[in-house]
């Protein structure tokens, strides 16, 4: 997750001996950006953030500038916990509201009338629902692909299980949306290696292909070939998601250039094919659009139970 940005609140400007009008002039000159009313941050820092990073900054700015100190929840809480946000609308800031006011949208906030949470943690100086409560709320309200990507990440990076999330729903007596949450929780898998792999699993399911095995190791006479993202033993087919991180992130590159990584991937694929396997590869755009992924898998010999 990207580092937390430094948010400057207008109401705190006097403490820093900076007149609020000066902050506004700096913003007009492009030196500052206003992620939410009453909050500013450095424009250069803002420019370096991803879409998810900017959303996290808006969440922190909105919650910090509010005088009511709301508890951040749902998708916004997932963002602050560090979860990937796949296929989600990064606009409103989600917070917990009292049941009496009803669930409503106002002033850039989506206020969920779910009552006070039993547990709250603090992230970047703002109160946030616990990860278990957050996962339950996301599973109840977010689109399937968004919920699965967040759940995959959580189960793979934290000591938390689907049973923990279901227990939270049961303790709160949640009925509305519970079936939707149960489906997402049953589909989630801690072995999913990245948001792109989570997206791919959802699309593979939606397109009617058989569920693949995940993170399957292969070896040949020369030793280990590596672990593949997806594996369909009945079709002798391997599936590989090609994400940008593989070529740019230090933890994957390990000092190698993008060209070196491409060559290594080609050699790895050749060794897999030498075992009599078919290899299908796709990227984020292929998986997001669906149709290109379907073509890759059909060309690799997989059979879908659904029509195009």
């Amino acid at each position: 997750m990207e580092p937390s940005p430094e948010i400057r609140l207008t109401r705190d400007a006097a403490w820093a001996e900076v007149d609020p009008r000066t902050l506004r002039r700096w913003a007009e000159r492009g030196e500052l950006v206003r992620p939410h009313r009453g909050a500013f941050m450095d424009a250069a820092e803002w420019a370096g953030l991803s879409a998810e990073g900017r959303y996290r900054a808006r969440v922190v700015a909105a919650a910090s500038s509010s005088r009511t100190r709301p508890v951040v929840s749902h998708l916004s809480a997932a963002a602050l916990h560090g979860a990937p946000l796949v296929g989600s609308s990064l606009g409103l800031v989600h917070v917990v509201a009292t049941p009496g006011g009803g669930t409503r949208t106002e002033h850039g906030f989506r206020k969920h009338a779910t009552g006070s949470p039993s547990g709250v943690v603090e992230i970047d100086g703002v109160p946030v629902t616990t990860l278990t409560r957050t996962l339950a709320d996301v599973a109840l309200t977010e689109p399937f692909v968004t919920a699965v990507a967040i759940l995959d990440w959580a189960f793979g990076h934290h000591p938390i299980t689907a049973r923990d999330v279901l227990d939270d729903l049961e303790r709160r007596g949640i009925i509305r949306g519970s079936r939707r949450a149960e489906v997402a929780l049953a589909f989630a898998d801690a072995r999913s290696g990245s948001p792109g792999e989570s997206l791919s699993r959802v699309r593979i399911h939606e397109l009617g292909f058989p569920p693949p095995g995940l993170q399957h190791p292969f070896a040949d006479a020369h030793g280990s070939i590596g672990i593949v993202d997806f594996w369909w033993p009945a079709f002798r087919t391997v599936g590989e998601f090609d994400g940008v991180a593989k070529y740019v992130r230090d933890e994957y590159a390990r000092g190698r250039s993008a060209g070196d990584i491409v060559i290594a991937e080609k050699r790895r694929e050749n060794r897999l094919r030498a075992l009599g396997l078919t290899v299908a590869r796709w990227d984020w755009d292929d998986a997001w659009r669906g149709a290109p992924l379907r073509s890759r898998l059909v060309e690799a010999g997989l059979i879908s139970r659904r029509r195009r």
Side-chain angles (χ1 to χ4, degrees), residues 59 62-63 68-74 76-77 92-98 103-104 109-114 127 129:
V59 171
T68 61
R69 192 170 169 76
V71 176
V72 175
S73 66
H74 293 73
S76 300
L92 296 172
V93 175
H94 298 259
V95 297
V96 174
T98 57
T103 297
R104 62 201 185 277
F109 288 95
R110 179 61 174 171
K111 299 181 178 180
H112 298 268
T114 56
T129 52

Side-chain angles (χ1 to χ4, degrees), residues 46-279:
W46 174 265
L49 294 175
S50 65
E52 290 185 2
R54 291 182 179 185
Y55 178 65
R56 293 185 186 103
R58 287 200 298 273
V59 171
V60 172
S64 300
S65 60
S66 174
R67 296 187 181 278
T68 61
R69 192 170 169 76
V71 176
V72 175
S73 66
H74 293 73
L75 185 70
S76 300
L80 295 190
H81 278 289
L85 308 179
V86 176
S88 51
S89 177
L90 305 181
L92 296 172
V93 175
H94 298 259
V95 297
V96 174
T98 57
T103 297
R104 62 201 185 277
T105 299
E106 57 185 18
H107 309 305
F109 288 95
R110 179 61 174 171
K111 299 181 178 180
H112 298 268
T114 56
S116 299
S118 58
V120 174
V121 298
E122 187 170 291
I123 301 176
D124 291 339
V126 301
V128 181
T129 52
T130 63
L131 182 57
T132 301
R133 166 71 179 260
T134 299
L135 297 177
D137 289 338
V138 164
L140 285 167
T141 59
E142 288 299 316
F144 185 64
V145 65
T146 303
V148 167
I150 292 173
L151 292 167
D152 282 354
W153 166 85
F155 297 159
H157 291 81
H158 295 272
I160 189 170
T161 66
R163 184 67 258 171
D164 297 327
V165 181
L166 288 170
D167 287 345
D168 178 85
L169 292 172
E170 292 172 4
R171 280 194 300 269
R172 287 192 279 157
I174 300 293
I175 298 176
R176 184 177 182 180
S178 60
R179 177 55 186 162
R180 176 180 186 169
E182 289 168 0
V183 171
L185 286 163
F187 190 84
D189 197 313
R191 296 173 298 169
S192 193
S194 69
E197 291 177 34
S198 297
L199 168 63
S200 298
R201 286 200 309 116
V202 170
R203 290 291 185 258
I204 289 167
H205 169 73
E206 292 173 341
L207 292 167
F209 290 104
L214 304 181
Q215 310 303 323
H216 188 83
F218 280 97
D220 59 13
H222 302 288
S224 173
I225 298 175
I227 297 175
V228 301
D229 300 331
F230 305 99
W231 165 233
W232 289 271
F235 296 90
R236 301 286 294 168
T237 296
V238 162
E240 293 278 63
F241 172 79
D242 284 329
V244 175
K246 182 184 295 183
Y247 303 97
V248 299
R249 284 191 182 176
D250 291 339
E251 61 263 37
Y252 297 107
R254 300 192 182 101
R256 298 175 297 172
S257 68
D260 290 338
I261 296 172
V262 170
I263 292 172
E265 284 291 307
K266 181 61 177 174
R267 289 172 177 167
R268 179 173 177 270
E269 182 173 322
N270 288 341
R271 290 174 68 185
L272 290 170
R273 293 185 186 280
L275 294 176
L277 307 178
T278 301
V279 180

Side-chain angles (χ1 to χ4, degrees), residues 284-305:
W284 184 280
D285 186 61
D286 294 333
W288 182 253
R289 292 165 56 201
L293 173 57
R294 186 184 192 282
S295 296
R296 303 277 190 281
L297 297 180
V298 169
E299 290 169 3
L302 267 64
I303 298 174
S304 170
R305 66 178 183 274

